[in-house]
Amino acid sequence: MATQQDLQELIRLMTVTRKMPMLQAMTSIKALQAVDLRSIKQISEASLPTVQEALKDDKVARALQNACKAVIKRNATQSSSPPSGGGVLKRGSSISSTSPVSKRAKSDVFMTGPVEMTPQELEASLELPICTDEDTIKETVIETNRAPLVLAFAVEMLRYTMPEQPLSSRLSLGQAVVSANSRSKAVSLGLDKGPSADQEGYGEGQPRVKVMGREVAVLKRSGYEWKGEERSGDEKKDGAGGSQETSATTASTLDPTPTPTATWSTSPPIIMKDSKFVARAIHLTSPSQRKYLMESLMHNHPELKSATHNAWAFRLKPPENANWLTQRTMREESFDDGETGCGDLMLKVMREAGAVDTLVVLTRWFGGTMLGPDRWRLMRNAVTSALGERMRKTGGSISLGGEALWGLDLEAMRKAQPGTTVGGYGSGKQLQPLTHVVGMHIHRPEAARSYLLRSFGKPSPPPADETATSPSKKKAVHKTAKVLEAEREENLGLLLGALRLLFDSWADHLDVAELDRRTWAWYCAIRPEVDSGPNGWGGKGSVKLVDLLKLRRGDQS
């Protein structure tokens, strides 16, 4: 069975080696997949008529098969181990110098084309390097311009402010922020003029989110289910799952006014790094019932008493006969039970769902390993599941937030109007509309990832002393493209590591809005110095990563 690595290698062979346009390459790949040819190796071993039948072009089919055979032959001579599907690229890594297709890939994957990928494969292909070794970070100085630095800040910040977003969404949203900021700056410097695509209404009607203080138009990725490292637990083994649990009998003996339907709706257990989360939801008609319902829950499920946390939250509609001046507001209460921020999160999810007259209990068994921002996503998923099950049983409707998002490329949408010409797609040529997602252009995550990987080099060394006469003076060493690529990837990993340490120090002490607000201030504090005015456009400067560490909570004077 072909793997995602095979797909990447086939794309690179077509677009880089064969110089085939991306759209044509993806159409050809879809046609080849229809006849079960999914890798370079399979194409090389297939009969020529089979390839010709798929591509409907004898010349193109013959040339592609010959190229695939050449790759297989080259791999066999360059490697002691037989190639698997013609691929030599490790997922998530850069292409090595021994790659038979190219030293530099145009892109990792055409995310929104006809080739189907599972969420796990997509997110794995976008993995970014990271190093949190403080000693190394403190000694590192990078050279970059401002735009990719904004992107790095945004991508890492979104792990904390929008933890439900997978890496592909964070890259897309971050690039949307960079694009909007760059255009605003270009207008202020006189390098561009006129209203933006957003101002002209190209994002009208689309939902918006705030990232680093800027609102960007987004597109919901309906049905995109990403779970990261989490897995569902075994209900029988865990003794903590199930879709329905009845507590009416016990509750009625404790509560003088029991709920009419005392049935708990329960999420499947969610497990990551030995931590386990389970959420339960039940109908509630008065605050006094909370105590008795929870006591009955603990009585029926004594294993919950051994849990690290049993947080809860409820929302109640005001009584019909309440005084409109004092009591006509929704009543909300929550309790973290030591799980910082859990109660507020549950209330937020319940508001998004429109859940009222409902009590939610979220149980966690701590596994010994801190989960970072993944903790928020897991808690949200558990609560969402429990509420969704309860709404299904009662026939209620539920519309929850937290969907994965794409950042919309509004400028590309404007440029793609019929009759518009765009130099980037061929000077003077009419741009063909690219309907990436239901007719809308998005900021592609693989392009944002590639931008990050190539943007953080080392500062140039000071010029040699021309007056030096020592015969031991060494000549300047010119680095190969492979060495420069490795340096940039290492620097990106250290930058993201420094940002991770910075956000980790503040995450439990600032709410989402404040963390978003401060992120822009932190970026401004360490961004490289460039010339003012148009001369500074795209200019590079040095950034000391130790300055990021100094912004951590507790490190500031």
Side-chain angles (χ1 to χ4, degrees):
M1 181 177 179
T3 66
Q4 185 59 35
Q5 176 180 318
D6 296 327
L7 173 60
Q8 291 178 352
E9 289 299 320
L10 184 55
I11 291 173
R12 291 188 179 102
L13 175 64
M14 289 184 172
T15 60
V16 181
T17 305
R18 299 293 306 152
K19 308 297 183 184
M20 189 180 293
M22 178 63 79
L23 193 58
Q24 181 184 347
M26 299 309 300
T27 302
S28 298
I29 287 175
K30 185 177 181 181
L32 290 165
Q33 289 178 335
V35 295
D36 203 28
L37 297 179
R38 302 174 182 275
S39 69
I40 292 175
K41 183 178 181 181
Q42 290 173 347
I43 295 171
S44 69
E45 294 176 348
S47 63
L48 180 59
T50 301
V51 183
Q52 291 173 334
E53 180 183 359
L55 298 182
K56 311 300 183 185
D57 188 316
D58 294 352
K59 184 177 179 181
V60 171
R62 188 183 300 275
L64 176 61
Q65 188 175 54
N66 288 339
C68 291
K69 289 179 178 178
V71 169
I72 298 299
K73 182 177 180 181
R74 191 178 302 118
N75 282 348
T77 59
Q78 291 182 351
S79 175
S80 58
S81 60
S84 173
V88 296
L89 181 67
K90 183 178 180 181
R91 178 180 293 167
S93 66
S94 56
I95 299 179
S96 68
S97 61
T98 59
S99 172
V101 290
S102 175
K103 292 182 179 179
R104 293 183 62 186
K106 286 184 177 180
S107 63
D108 293 307
V109 183
F110 189 67
M111 300 303 172
T112 54
V115 176
E116 295 183 0
M117 300 174 65
T118 67
Q120 290 71 28
E121 290 172 335
L122 173 56
E123 304 309 326
S125 71
L126 295 169
E127 185 179 356
L128 291 169
I130 187 164
C131 174
T132 55
D133 180 72
E134 291 193 36
D135 292 335
T136 306
I137 291 172
K138 290 177 181 178
E139 300 299 323
T140 300
V141 180
I142 61 176
E143 184 178 60
T144 185
N145 56 352
R146 292 181 173 183
L149 190 61
V150 172
L151 178 57
F153 265 86
V155 169
E156 193 61 28
M157 181 202 72
L158 286 168
R159 293 183 73 251
Y160 299 83
T161 59
M162 300 178 69
E164 69 277 7
Q165 297 300 318
L167 177 58
S168 57
S169 291
R170 298 200 302 269
L171 286 164
S172 180
L173 294 170
Q175 190 61 50
V177 173
V178 171
S179 177
N181 282 340
S182 295
R183 194 186 186 283
S184 297
K185 186 66 174 178
V187 171
S188 69
L189 294 177
L191 301 175
D192 204 347
K193 59 183 180 180
S196 66
D198 196 5
Q199 292 169 331
E200 289 185 352
Y202 279 84
E204 185 176 357
Q206 291 302 125
R208 293 173 179 271
V209 297
K210 182 173 287 188
V211 183
M212 293 180 69
R214 180 178 287 276
E215 285 193 349
V216 295
V218 299
L219 180 70
K220 293 183 179 181
R221 300 168 64 179
S222 300
Y224 189 81
E225 297 182 359
W226 167 76
K227 294 185 177 181
E229 299 178 43
E230 72 185 68
R231 61 183 177 87
S232 296
D234 185 332
E235 295 179 8
K236 293 181 179 179
K237 177 181 178 181
D238 295 329
S243 61
Q244 183 171 324
E245 301 163 347
T246 302
S247 302
T249 302
T250 307
S252 63
T253 63
L254 297 169
D255 187 2
T257 56
T259 61
T261 306
T263 301
W264 291 93
S265 298
T266 308
S267 72
I270 299 175
I271 301 172
M272 177 184 281
K273 298 178 181 177
D274 296 326
S275 281
K276 181 170 65 179
F277 297 82
V278 179
R280 291 174 171 83
I282 195 169
H283 183 70
L284 187 73
T285 58
S286 71
S288 63
Q289 290 177 342
R290 181 202 59 80
K291 177 181 177 182
Y292 300 109
L293 286 171
M294 291 193 65
E295 287 180 355
S296 69
L297 179 64
M298 297 295 171
H299 175 79
N300 291 338
H301 295 275
E303 71 275 5
L304 300 185
K305 298 177 183 178
S306 67
T308 315
H309 311 285
N310 282 294
W312 55 263
F314 68 75
R315 299 184 79 226
L316 282 170
K317 290 185 297 186
E320 292 296 329
N321 59 352
N323 185 317
W324 69 274
L325 288 175
T326 59
Q327 300 179 23
R328 295 296 297 172
T329 58
M330 191 75 64
R331 179 162 182 177
E332 298 180 344
E333 290 186 21
S334 66
F335 175 61
D336 290 343
D337 194 26
E339 184 69 84
T340 306
C342 181
D344 287 341
L345 175 68
M346 286 193 286
L347 288 175
K348 179 180 179 182
V349 175
M350 294 171 74
R351 294 186 201 110
E352 292 171 350
V356 295
D357 294 342
T358 301
L359 168 68
V360 177
V361 177
L362 180 59
T363 304
R364 178 186 183 183
W365 287 265
F366 180 58
T369 302
M370 303 296 287
L371 300 181
D374 282 328
R375 176 175 69 99
W376 300 102
R377 176 171 55 83
L378 301 182
M379 292 191 296
R380 171 184 277 275
N381 289 350
V383 173
T384 297
S385 179
L387 287 175
E389 180 67 13
R390 172 168 140 33
M391 293 295 185
R392 184 188 67 78
K393 288 193 176 81
T394 60
S397 61
I398 184 166
S399 176
L400 290 162
E403 299 95 335
L405 305 171
W406 288 126
L408 284 175
D409 190 346
L410 302 182
E411 297 297 330
M413 291 169 63
R414 177 169 62 176
K415 292 175 182 177
Q417 293 300 305
T420 306
T421 59
V422 181
Y425 288 82
S427 179
K429 295 183 180 180
Q430 182 170 328
L431 177 65
Q432 298 299 319
L434 299 178
T435 53
H436 289 181
V437 181
V438 293
M440 292 190 173
H441 288 69
I442 64 167
H443 287 284
R444 290 166 50 183
E446 80 279 15
R449 176 181 183 272
S450 178
Y451 186 34
L452 286 173
L453 285 170
R454 67 174 185 266
S455 296
F456 302 99
K458 292 186 179 295
S460 301
D465 185 358
E466 298 295 336
T467 62
T469 59
S470 172
S472 62
K473 184 175 71 173
K474 297 181 179 179
K475 296 182 179 180
V477 177
H478 296 285
K479 298 178 181 178
T480 65
K482 182 179 179 180
V483 170
L484 291 173
E485 182 180 354
E487 283 185 354
R488 295 188 188 107
E489 183 171 343
E490 179 184 5
N491 287 340
L492 172 60
L494 291 165
L495 170 62
L496 294 177
L499 289 169
R500 182 77 54 89
L501 294 173
L502 170 61
F503 287 116
D504 273 344
S505 72
W506 288 101
D508 288 337
H509 302 277
L510 301 176
D511 61 26
V512 168
E514 181 63 15
L515 189 62
D516 185 279
R517 187 189 69 81
R518 291 201 189 188
T519 298
W520 182 259
W522 291 333
Y523 156 74
C524 291
I526 65 103
R527 65 187 179 186
E529 295 293 333
V530 297
D531 293 339
S532 60
N535 290 337
W537 180 258
K540 292 186 176 182
S542 296
V543 175
K544 297 179 180 179
L545 297 189
V546 68
D547 291 338
L548 272 174
L549 298 184
K550 292 177 181 178
L551 297 172
R552 289 182 298 180
R553 184 174 184 271
D555 289 348
Q556 298 170 302
S557 58

